[in-house]
Amino acid sequence: MSRIIRPQSTAELLKQLARESEDLSANDRRDFLRRGITAVGALAATSVAGGALAEDAGSTNLPPNEPSWSRQLGHGVVEHPYGSPSQFEKNVVRRTVPWLTAESISSISMTPLAELKGIITPNGLVFERYHAGVPVINPEEHRLILHGLVERPLIFTMDDLMRFPSVSEIKFLECPANGGMEWKGAQMEALQFTHGMLSCCEWTGVPLKVLLEEAGVKPEGKWILAEGADGAHMSRSIPLEKALDDTLVVYAQNGERLRPEQGYPLRLFNPGWEGNTSIKWLRRLEVGDEPWYHREETSKYTDLLASGKARKFSFVQEANSVITYPCPEKPVKHSGYIEIEGLAWSGRGRIKQVDVSFDGGVNWVPARLKGLVLPKALTRFSVDAQWHGQPWLLQARAIDETGYVQPTLKQLRAARGSNSIYHKNSIHTWKVAANGEVTNVQIT
């Protein structure tokens, strides 16, 4: 039996619709929203003469009034030749933790994951990691040297490299220290700071195996040293098997040339591996018969175990996930239907399944995988839910196509101890309070 709704204002109508939506199932939600929008539109049409809606809403730009921006001209073409985000999105930026490092030239910034949609990270929001700041490199003077245990040592200009057949692949990029500040306890009250050393882009370049075929690797060649042109001469040893598999020599990102902070004009990219192996500002590739054990693969990027020994060459970024809504930056602001949403990824391949728990891991429900599900790329997931002020301990658990299951914090500490700052891929917990606020907690 239908009934007539006669509220006195738009605000009252919306409140009444929200109250009624709390009792609806997910299957009824679309029809309910359609009827609600129609009702609001009808109320607006009958109230134009009195202007009551705008008065109730407290803004002359809201219906039934014509907004101010509809009564004036905007700026013309190429007034901003490159383009930039809306001024109303000015808070969507990379951020750093001031106390994390002594100097910004050897530091890291984080991607605002809570603000992003889909799986592609805009170039201006991809997290930064420098060891000696960002060099300013003239691409006309940049060269890539390929030498060592090869038949034909080669030097490539940028034009040379861009003449080779190119590939474009969507892959995630993650610092192995992502989440590292949480190894010994929850301390960062923002998704951006717990998981923001993570991005996903379309990378365009030449497969490294093509260049190696040009040079001809000698039989004794087993490793490759990749070195950057930055002031730190950042370098890592890469097994030849990886180089011949899916390593790329990249010059473009998300359809444009690399940004300086992402390695312009050239970088290495090792899909699914520690971000530090994807050497930026790439200038040299040397083929050798064993790893080099340079500074950044001995003093850093090893995992100190409880025994005092350290794991070396822990290249692969294991399966991981995190809920992006709700989170500390995006609390729950209303009662009723909400869509729990998050990201999952694995350096081993595709995400096969994501489960979500509302009670700290006691019970799990399967999530929907949304949009593209690609190997070694971010994958969106979501779960429909009803929230009426009840406390939640929200968790997500990823399983990849190899069968690897994201571990609990207890399981990870049992295997690795608590001395490391790298490869913290344990299940993360958000506590949702009765007022909708979200805090970072750990369940051990």
Side-chain angles (χ1 to χ4, degrees), residues 190-212:
L191 168 63
Q192 188 165 9
F193 297 141
T194 62
H195 291 79
M197 301 178 196
L198 171 71
S199 300
C200 185
C201 300
E202 180 189 61
W203 307 95
T204 298
V206 184
L208 178 52
K209 65 181 179 181
V210 173
L211 303 183
L212 293 174

Side-chain angles (χ1 to χ4, degrees), residues 57-129:
S59 172
T60 57
N61 283 326
L62 295 179
N65 294 325
E66 184 180 8
S68 59
W69 48 82
S70 295
R71 292 180 274 112
Q72 59 186 338
L73 296 177
H75 69 73
V77 297
V78 301
E79 184 168 331
H80 305 287
Y82 184 81
S84 59
S86 165
Q87 60 179 306
F88 301 104
E89 301 297 322
K90 63 182 179 182
N91 292 324
V92 182
V93 294
R94 296 178 289 216
R95 292 181 173 84
T96 189
V97 179
W99 49 260
L100 188 60
T101 57
E103 280 285 345
S104 62
I105 60 172
S106 181
S107 191
I108 194 161
S109 71
M110 291 82 165
T111 297
L113 296 177
E115 303 290 347
L116 302 186
K117 305 298 180 184
I119 64 172
I120 299 296
T121 308
N123 290 349
L125 296 178
V126 173
F127 76 93
E128 305 162 282
R129 175 65 171 112

Side-chain angles (χ1 to χ4, degrees), residues 393-410:
L393 290 173
L394 280 178
Q395 296 181 335
R397 178 181 65 190
I399 304 172
D400 67 27
E401 62 183 346
T402 71
Y404 178 94
V405 180
Q406 185 181 353
T408 65
L409 183 59
K410 183 177 181 180

Side-chain angles (χ1 to χ4, degrees), residues 232-396:
H233 286 250
M234 174 67 185
S235 59
R236 285 301 310 263
S237 302
I238 311 296
L240 184 63
E241 293 86 352
K242 179 67 172 179
L244 296 176
D245 179 19
D246 59 358
T247 299
L248 302 177
V249 176
V250 167
Y251 47 76
Q253 173 185 10
N254 291 339
E256 66 176 6
R257 295 294 293 271
L258 289 166
R259 297 285 179 96
E261 63 266 30
Q262 293 304 319
Y264 182 88
L266 194 68
R267 74 175 296 165
L268 200 68
F269 192 81
N270 284 304
W273 279 24
E274 295 178 340
N276 61 81
T277 69
S278 293
I279 299 296
K280 295 186 286 189
W281 314 293
L282 182 66
R283 67 172 294 271
R284 187 166 71 93
L285 295 168
E286 180 180 355
V287 179
D289 59 357
E290 61 182 3
W292 276 256
Y293 294 103
H294 278 188
R295 179 185 63 233
E296 302 298 342
E297 48 196 8
T298 52
S299 68
K300 296 183 178 66
Y301 306 123
T302 59
D303 305 292
L304 184 61
L305 304 176
S307 65
K309 293 184 178 180
R311 293 198 313 158
K312 65 178 182 179
F313 300 132
S314 51
F315 294 123
V316 176
Q317 294 294 101
E318 298 91 347
N320 207 339
S321 66
V322 67
I323 290 172
T324 58
Y325 176 77
C327 67
E329 299 98 313
K330 297 287 185 180
V332 184
K333 295 184 177 180
H334 57 81
S335 180
Y337 166 80
I338 66 170
E339 182 185 29
I340 309 296
E341 195 171 16
L343 294 167
W345 61 100
S346 174
R348 298 168 180 261
R350 285 181 174 83
I351 291 296
K352 178 181 178 181
Q353 177 181 336
V354 179
D355 301 318
V356 171
S357 176
F358 295 85
D359 53 15
V362 177
N363 298 285
W364 296 90
V365 296
R368 292 189 302 274
L369 303 185
K370 303 171 62 173
L372 295 175
V373 181
L374 303 172
K376 303 177 185 179
L378 293 186
T379 298
R380 281 269 169 191
F381 65 85
S382 70
V383 169
D384 293 338
Q386 292 280 337
W387 185 76
H388 301 285
Q390 69 271 33
W392 279 344
L393 290 173
L394 280 178
Q395 296 181 335

Side-chain angles (χ1 to χ4, degrees), residues 408-422:
T408 65
L409 183 59
K410 183 177 181 180
Q411 289 171 332
L412 187 64
R413 285 178 174 164
R416 307 267 187 85
S418 58
N419 294 322
S420 182
I421 61 171
Y422 303 115

